[in-house]
Amino acid sequence: MMFTNATIFVFPAVISAALREMLVVDRDGDALQLALAEHVVKPVGPMELSSVGFASPYGEDNKALYQRVSTDDIDVITLTIASEQRVLPSGAVNKALMDKIRKFEADNARKPGGKMRRQMKDDLVSEMLPKAFVQPGRTDLYIDLRRHMVIINTASRKAAEAAVSQIREVLGSFPALPVNCEVAPRQILTGWVAGEDMPDEWSLGDECELRDPADSGAVVKVQRMELAGTEIDSHLEAGKQVKRLGLLHSDLISAVLDEEMVLRKVKLMDVVLDRHEEEERDDINAFLDGKLLLMAGALGPFIDSASKAFKWTRAE
């Protein structure tokens, strides 16, 4: 799999050690696999709004509920959180309710009271829900056992927290926290665009978002444009600060990094992808393991550089 976003949570090193112990297969089986199996996604019931649980990162036909790749430099576990949600548009419910109210008024020559209207709506939802369209969803994440981080393929903090909660249900305890910086990210990002020295492995991309620090201040979004120029300089001179910035790391991976340390538009460079596309595809599981190694191998150093530059605090 290839991540397009990355929201990062950090956790204590003791959690990585505990997870490694769960991966040991003994006479009772693989402890992590067994724990995940108790929280596997189930088809959403006819009267349920949603169902959430774990699925195989390798696809529907595979029983393995996690994917692990490990080398001298990389040790990660991938999990897939799947969901099914019944889509019942409020507009459709309200239209059906109004039709029902009009019929009641015509038959009874009076308007229904508030309690009756609520009962009508509840009855309609119960009637319509089993026929509602089921929308599948998927959130991929990987747990980096060396960096003691979970990297979730989403730019939504709400979705990331929901994924962490799912892991917590499996493990019983999972004290993972969002990334916190000791220095102000906007200050550093703005300084880089202004021409201050950047870490050697990083270079500016062609995208940024500048904001006036005042409440309800102006917002300027720049894409596919040289950032070291007079137009950007004029915005900086006017007091705007950089909230999001496109960065290229070691000519291997690019992403837009924001002040909350969320990565968007993550993309591996062609030189990396071409190398993987040339590999054999006869074993699909091995091919997917290779893609994970590729992703983790490029994203990990990017995260290391961000952690150092912005002085991320570590979970104890």
Side-chain angles (χ1 to χ4, degrees), residues 162-232:
V164 170
S165 293
Q166 287 294 122
I167 301 174
R168 190 172 292 120
E169 285 191 19
V170 173
L171 301 181
S173 174
F174 189 58
L177 297 172
V179 166
N180 184 53
C181 302
E182 293 183 2
V183 295
R186 276 199 190 191
Q187 179 181 342
I188 294 178
L189 294 173
T190 302
W192 288 349
V193 174
E196 294 180 6
D197 290 340
M198 302 176 65
D200 292 338
E201 62 272 18
W202 272 352
S203 57
L204 292 178
D206 61 359
E207 178 175 348
C208 75
E209 178 179 315
L210 303 103
R211 294 197 177 196
D212 191 311
D215 292 339
S216 303
V219 178
V220 177
K221 296 182 180 181
V222 176
Q223 292 181 318
R224 296 182 294 279
M225 179 177 171
E226 174 64 45
L227 299 184
T230 55
E231 183 174 342
I232 300 297

Side-chain angles (χ1 to χ4, degrees), residues 37-58:
E38 294 181 3
H39 299 272
V40 70
V41 65
K42 296 178 176 63
V44 63
M47 298 304 296
E48 292 180 321
L49 284 172
S50 63
S51 176
V52 181
F54 290 91
S56 175
Y58 291 109

